[in-house]
Amino acid sequence: METDDGGWALVTVAGTITTSKRETAQQDEFFPLLDVWGEYDAGSFTSLRSFSKLDLFYGLLRDDGEFMARSKTRYPSNLMIWPVANASRWRNMRTADNVRVHVSDGTTWPNVPEIDYMRLSNDGGGTIVRRAAVRRIDNGAYRGWQWNVGMTASCDGSFHSHLGVGTLLYWSPDNNYGMWFHCDALKLTSAPNDLPDADVLFYYRASTPSPEP
């Protein structure tokens, strides 16, 4: 993957869901990227068979590394890049101080770390813009980040002014929703509520390329 000077390795595919997320992951801990499950398959870029195998890259995780998420089919021109920020947290997502219990069905889920920027593109990576004022959503249920929006989780936004968590990545703890994320993952503009997921591919690279002089 050569986007933004390259160096990306595929680590997770949030693709096909078989009946439920638990059944797809074959375990109760089913969050793409945040949990570890499935069998790594580089061919999933084409087949969209789901897996979440960041553990294979734990030895390469660095605080100054970056993740990238992009959709192959629904919004292939859209992408989101964000910093690892805390490599230890990503290696230990299920530690007791980082896990909450979903009140309706007892599902547990990890919290994403705080980050201080994200980088976005809606033209396939030709132009990538950096956004600060990033806020982690910690509302007792769903997980993700939003840009230039307050604490209330939102599925509204505009690429140029603000983006609610539902227009980016809004991890859902609900097993039977048939979707990995709420609203419309990576739409990067106002999103309707709870469309069936398209695919989201996650990549990692060990460091951020130095800016050109």
Side-chain angles (χ1 to χ4, degrees):
M1 174 63 66
E2 298 305 315
T3 301
D4 192 37
D5 295 329
W8 300 101
L10 181 68
V11 298
T12 291
V13 175
T16 303
I17 294 175
T18 305
T19 305
S20 71
K21 290 183 279 191
R22 283 196 180 103
E23 183 172 325
T24 301
Q26 296 188 352
Q27 62 181 42
D28 289 340
E29 300 171 350
F30 50 66
F31 283 68
L33 190 66
L34 309 185
D35 288 320
V36 172
W37 47 269
E39 183 176 332
Y40 188 90
D41 179 7
S44 289
F45 176 84
T46 300
S47 69
L48 300 179
R49 186 173 66 86
S50 297
F51 67 84
S52 184
K53 295 297 290 180
L54 183 60
D55 60 315
L56 299 180
F57 299 83
Y58 281 172
L60 300 175
L61 283 184
R62 299 165 34 151
D63 291 353
D64 64 347
E66 288 185 317
F67 292 110
M68 176 173 65
R70 60 188 312 169
S71 172
K72 185 184 175 192
T73 55
R74 182 173 288 165
Y75 304 117
S77 295
N78 294 356
L79 63 89
M80 171 184 174
I81 297 171
W82 71 96
V84 171
N86 187 334
S88 177
R89 169 67 70 85
W90 286 97
R91 295 188 194 100
N92 298 280
M93 276 290 179
R94 286 285 175 172
T95 55
D97 64 347
N98 194 42
V99 171
R100 302 287 181 85
V101 178
H102 192 281
V103 294
S104 66
D105 65 3
T107 301
T108 60
W109 69 91
N111 201 354
V112 296
E114 298 277 6
I115 59 175
D116 58 6
Y117 73 88
M118 63 177 63
R119 300 168 63 228
L120 306 171
S121 177
N122 60 4
D123 68 358
T127 302
I128 300 178
V129 295
R130 183 182 176 103
R131 304 301 194 197
V134 176
R135 184 187 296 274
R136 179 179 67 179
I137 290 299
D138 186 1
N139 65 349
Y142 310 111
R143 291 293 177 258
W145 305 277
Q146 53 193 24
W147 165 59
N148 210 26
V149 181
M151 284 301 296
T152 301
S154 170
C155 295
D156 297 322
S158 164
F159 185 80
H160 298 288
S161 63
H162 67 287
L163 290 170
V165 62
T167 72
L168 296 159
L169 294 171
Y170 195 7
W171 277 266
S172 166
D174 297 296
N175 178 50
N176 293 317
Y177 258 37
M179 58 185 67
W180 300 112
F181 305 95
H182 275 308
C183 296
D184 197 358
L186 298 178
K187 187 176 183 183
L188 304 187
T189 188
S190 288
N193 286 327
D194 298 344
L195 283 182
D197 279 346
D199 53 276
V200 178
L201 310 180
F202 292 90
Y203 299 83
Y204 168 71
R205 67 178 173 193
S207 61
T208 306
S210 300
E212 295 182 3

